[in-house]
Amino acid sequence: NAGVMQNPRHLVRRRGQEARLRCSPMKGHSHVYWYRQLPEEGLKFMVYLQKENIIDESGMPKERFSAEFPKEGPSILRIQQVVRGDSAAYFCASSPRDRTGGYTFGSGTRLTVV
Amino acid sequence: GENVEQHPSTLSVQEGDSAVIKCTYSDSASNYFPWYKQELGKRPQLIIDIRSNVGEKKDQRIAVTLNKTAKHFSLHITETQPEDSAVYFCAFNQAGTALIFGKGTTLSVSS
């Protein structure tokens, strides 16, 4: 089992560009969660998705950020017109069911906006 | 929104001592309480969890206790070792919702 796969591991973007972060959940997992982590801060919830559905996006900024989890392929977190404040580690996690249970995290994507 | 307060933010102990980290949560309907360990530059990893029908759970040198009335839960690490040095996060949720994480405790174990 390859675990939760995130790519790229490191991403550098200039201000105003778009960033696309990918997450493939563990085999058999159908629920995906995205979190943002700033230095010396906790994991801040962004969005919870199932295949073709956004379940909870209460943690997503209203502008420039979007997420999807299509029927085929990985989940994508998209940040348009990046700004320096978007620089952070973005972690994806997956779980096999939508009731309470532990998540498996990916290795994260470290986004740097220059 | 729902939130969890985690204390202390930093904790330094001598090898062999015990370490205790406490969290207080806001949602009385929560019924799942995991703890994650994150080493520098690595992913968070689940180390132990507890559900609301259990008051205490142990796994070798780590244990978690839950007080639902007071809405707090704690992580206990006994006989600490240098490899326990990491950031520890508490979290909570109820069925069908995403985990909410505390801000983390940086544990340093010196030999």
Side-chain angles (χ1 to χ4, degrees):
Chain A
N1 195 328
V4 178
M5 303 300 293
Q6 284 189 253
N7 65 81
R9 290 293 306 274
H10 300 276
L11 181 61
V12 179
R13 285 286 177 265
R14 294 186 184 280
R15 281 177 294 171
Q17 291 184 320
E18 178 179 289
R20 292 171 69 88
L21 288 61
R22 296 174 185 78
C23 170
S24 296
M26 282 185 69
K27 188 176 181 180
H29 285 194
S30 56
H31 304 271
V32 166
Y33 313 83
W34 286 93
Y35 288 84
R36 177 163 64 179
Q37 186 174 40
L38 291 166
E40 300 186 3
E41 289 196 14
L43 294 152
K44 185 173 180 184
F45 168 71
M46 299 183 74
V47 63
Y48 164 23
L49 310 105
Q50 295 179 20
K51 286 281 187 182
E52 300 184 281
N53 281 309
I54 296 175
I55 306 302
D56 180 0
E57 57 180 349
S58 58
M60 288 277 272
K62 293 288 185 283
E63 297 178 350
R64 302 187 298 109
F65 285 72
S66 62
E68 63 175 2
F69 189 15
K71 186 176 180 180
E72 301 291 337
S75 175
I76 305 287
L77 179 67
R78 182 182 177 201
I79 311 172
Q80 295 178 293
Q81 299 174 349
V82 296
V83 300
R84 288 217 172 115
D86 297 333
S87 296
Y90 292 83
F91 285 94
C92 164
S94 70
S95 70
R97 57 191 182 271
D98 63 357
R99 56 184 185 275
T100 55
Y103 297 172
T104 301
F105 278 87
S107 296
T109 294
R110 279 147 185 86
L111 172 65
T112 302
V113 179
V114 297
Chain B
E2 305 301 341
N3 66 82
V4 55
E5 292 189 6
Q6 182 171 346
H7 298 284
S9 57
T10 59
L11 180 58
S12 296
V13 299
Q14 291 286 322
E15 183 176 2
D17 287 350
S18 295
V20 180
I21 303 170
K22 298 180 179 180
C23 285
T24 303
Y25 60 97
S26 57
D27 182 7
S28 57
S30 299
N31 53 13
Y32 179 63
F33 307 89
W35 286 88
Y36 284 78
K37 175 183 180 182
Q38 186 179 28
E39 297 176 356
L40 190 63
K42 302 281 184 68
R43 73 187 75 190
Q45 292 194 298
L46 178 68
I47 56 172
I48 195 167
D49 57 12
I50 193 168
R51 298 181 188 276
S52 60
N53 57 343
V54 176
E56 183 177 1
K57 183 177 177 180
K58 288 184 179 180
D59 183 3
Q60 299 183 350
R61 295 187 297 108
I62 60 173
V64 57
T65 58
L66 171 65
N67 183 329
K68 281 220 79 179
T69 302
K71 291 193 285 186
H72 64 72
F73 55 114
S74 301
L75 178 71
H76 304 254
I77 306 174
T78 58
E79 301 172 24
T80 54
Q81 300 167 4
E83 51 265 39
D84 294 330
S85 297
V87 180
Y88 291 82
F89 294 99
C90 64
F92 73 99
N93 73 345
Q94 56 175 296
T97 66
L99 283 172
I100 304 300
F101 285 82
K103 291 194 172 183
T105 296
T106 301
L107 173 64
S108 299
V109 181
S110 52
S111 54

